[in-house]
Amino acid sequence: MPSDSPSSIPPKAKDQAKKLTVKQERDARRAEKVAAMVAEQKRQQRNRRFAWIGGSVAGVLVIGLVIGFVVSSAKPQVDPASISIGDLKTYSGLTSNHVTGTVDYAQTPPAGGDHAGVWLNCGVYSEAVPNENAVHALEHGSVWVTYDPAVIDEAGVQKIRSQLPDTYVVVSPYPGLPSPVVASAWGNQVFMDSPDDERLGEFVQKFWRSNDAPEPGAACTGGLDAPGKVA
């Protein structure tokens, strides 16, 4: 019966066994490195995935916070009908016929009535504008702010302009006004002693492009540019 003691294994077989062992060790080390590289790649993929998810969630949260801030800080719309203006003058029964020539208006400045067939283009004027064309602008929902140039200086005019929208507004001097500043809309007026009067802003909120005008939203351009238009 053959012996399996180390002394009975031929030298060549011993060398072959030793070489296989070295190769196996080398393969094992290589396999460990490969496994480590694969594990590292998977770890990095997981980290990138978590970072992407975290960034997306953070982005959604930021957007939500921004929207919440805008919604919570936005100024709520005010119902014009709920605005009460002290000493507001209201005129009813105003006609709105197109006429030629001058019109003898009951109010100074006029707040409605028959008027010229061409409306005054909205804007700021440094000279007095024709009543009949300005009243046509009121018919379209504009607000007409007049001031006495003997009382209101350039700084006062700038103060008036700073409180008004960029369109559907006429600003013009009107010598001999019953008060330094008058705001007019179709059928409504308020008389003020100063451009600082808070009722100017209230009047604009209540009557600017109001549906109470005969033709609200009709054109505010494409009509007549009176002399002295500056803006």
Side-chain angles (χ1 to χ4, degrees), residues 145-159:
V145 181
T146 50
Y147 59 91
D148 187 341
V151 180
I152 303 299
D153 60 12
E154 183 59 30
V157 174
Q158 294 302 320
K159 178 69 174 180

Side-chain angles (χ1 to χ4, degrees), residues 26 30 61-62 64 67 91 93 100 117 119 132 144 154 158 160 167 182 189 218 226 231:
R26 188 167 56 247
R30 186 182 297 114
L61 289 175
V62 169
I67 294 174
Y91 315 106
T100 58
W119 59 89
E132 294 76 17
W144 183 18
E154 183 59 30
Q158 294 302 320
I160 290 171
T167 186
V182 181
Q189 282 182 327

Side-chain angles (χ1 to χ4, degrees), residues 105-116:
Y105 291 105
Q107 302 87 32
T108 303
D114 294 343
H115 49 269

Side-chain angles (χ1 to χ4, degrees), residues 136-190:
H136 197 153
L138 296 182
E139 183 185 39
H140 292 182
S142 299
V143 170
W144 183 18
V145 181
T146 50
Y147 59 91
D148 187 341
V151 180
I152 303 299
D153 60 12
E154 183 59 30
V157 174
Q158 294 302 320
K159 178 69 174 180
I160 290 171
R161 292 179 61 180
S162 69
Q163 302 176 68
L164 303 176
D166 293 331
T167 186
Y168 282 91
V169 168
V170 175
V171 180
S172 67
Y174 201 111
L177 282 178
S179 65
V181 181
V182 181
S184 305
W186 187 273
N188 297 276
Q189 282 182 327
V190 64

Side-chain angles (χ1 to χ4, degrees), residues 71-82:
V71 171
S72 62
S73 61
K75 187 176 181 180
Q77 289 283 58
V78 177
D79 180 5
S82 68

Side-chain angles (χ1 to χ4, degrees), residues 4-231:
D4 56 359
S5 64
S7 58
S8 63
I9 300 175
K12 189 174 181 178
K14 287 183 180 181
D15 292 341
Q16 187 176 7
K18 187 175 181 180
K19 288 180 180 179
L20 287 175
T21 301
V22 171
K23 183 177 182 302
Q24 288 173 349
E25 289 178 353
R26 188 167 56 247
D27 291 343
R29 287 195 298 270
R30 186 182 297 114
E32 288 177 358
K33 290 180 179 180
V34 171
M37 290 175 59
V38 171
E40 177 64 19
Q41 290 176 349
K42 289 183 177 180
R43 184 184 67 79
Q44 292 179 358
Q45 289 176 350
R46 283 196 303 271
N47 289 344
R48 284 196 295 269
R49 190 182 305 115
F50 291 150
W52 182 85
I53 294 172
S56 299
V57 172
V60 171
L61 289 175
V62 169
I63 293 172
L65 289 172
V66 170
I67 294 174
F69 174 78
V70 171
V71 171
S72 62
S73 61
K75 187 176 181 180
Q77 289 283 58
V78 177
D79 180 5
S82 68
I83 300 173
S84 178
I85 302 174
D87 296 324
L88 177 68
K89 307 297 182 184
T90 301
Y91 315 106
S92 59
L94 297 172
T95 56
S96 57
N97 302 306
H98 289 179
V99 298
T100 58
T102 59
V103 178
D104 184 16
Y105 291 105
Q107 302 87 32
T108 303
D114 294 343
H115 49 269
V118 178
W119 59 89
L120 179 72
N121 287 333
C122 294
V124 179
Y125 293 84
S126 61
E127 300 179 26
V129 299
N131 283 338
E132 294 76 17
N133 302 99
V135 170
H136 197 153
L138 296 182
E139 183 185 39
H140 292 182
S142 299
V143 170
W144 183 18
V145 181
T146 50
Y147 59 91
D148 187 341
V151 180
I152 303 299
D153 60 12
E154 183 59 30
V157 174
Q158 294 302 320
K159 178 69 174 180
I160 290 171
R161 292 179 61 180
S162 69
Q163 302 176 68
L164 303 176
D166 293 331
T167 186
Y168 282 91
V169 168
V170 175
V171 180
S172 67
Y174 201 111
L177 282 178
S179 65
V181 181
V182 181
S184 305
W186 187 273
N188 297 276
Q189 282 182 327
V190 64
F191 297 82
M192 297 166 285
D193 293 329
S194 166
D196 295 317
D197 194 315
E198 64 182 11
R199 291 177 299 166
L200 176 56
E202 294 171 349
F203 189 90
V204 172
Q205 271 194 300
K206 188 173 182 69
F207 295 113
W208 183 69
R209 304 190 71 174
S210 171
N211 288 327
D212 293 336
E215 297 179 7
C220 191
T221 59
L224 171 71
D225 270 345
K229 187 176 182 183
V230 296

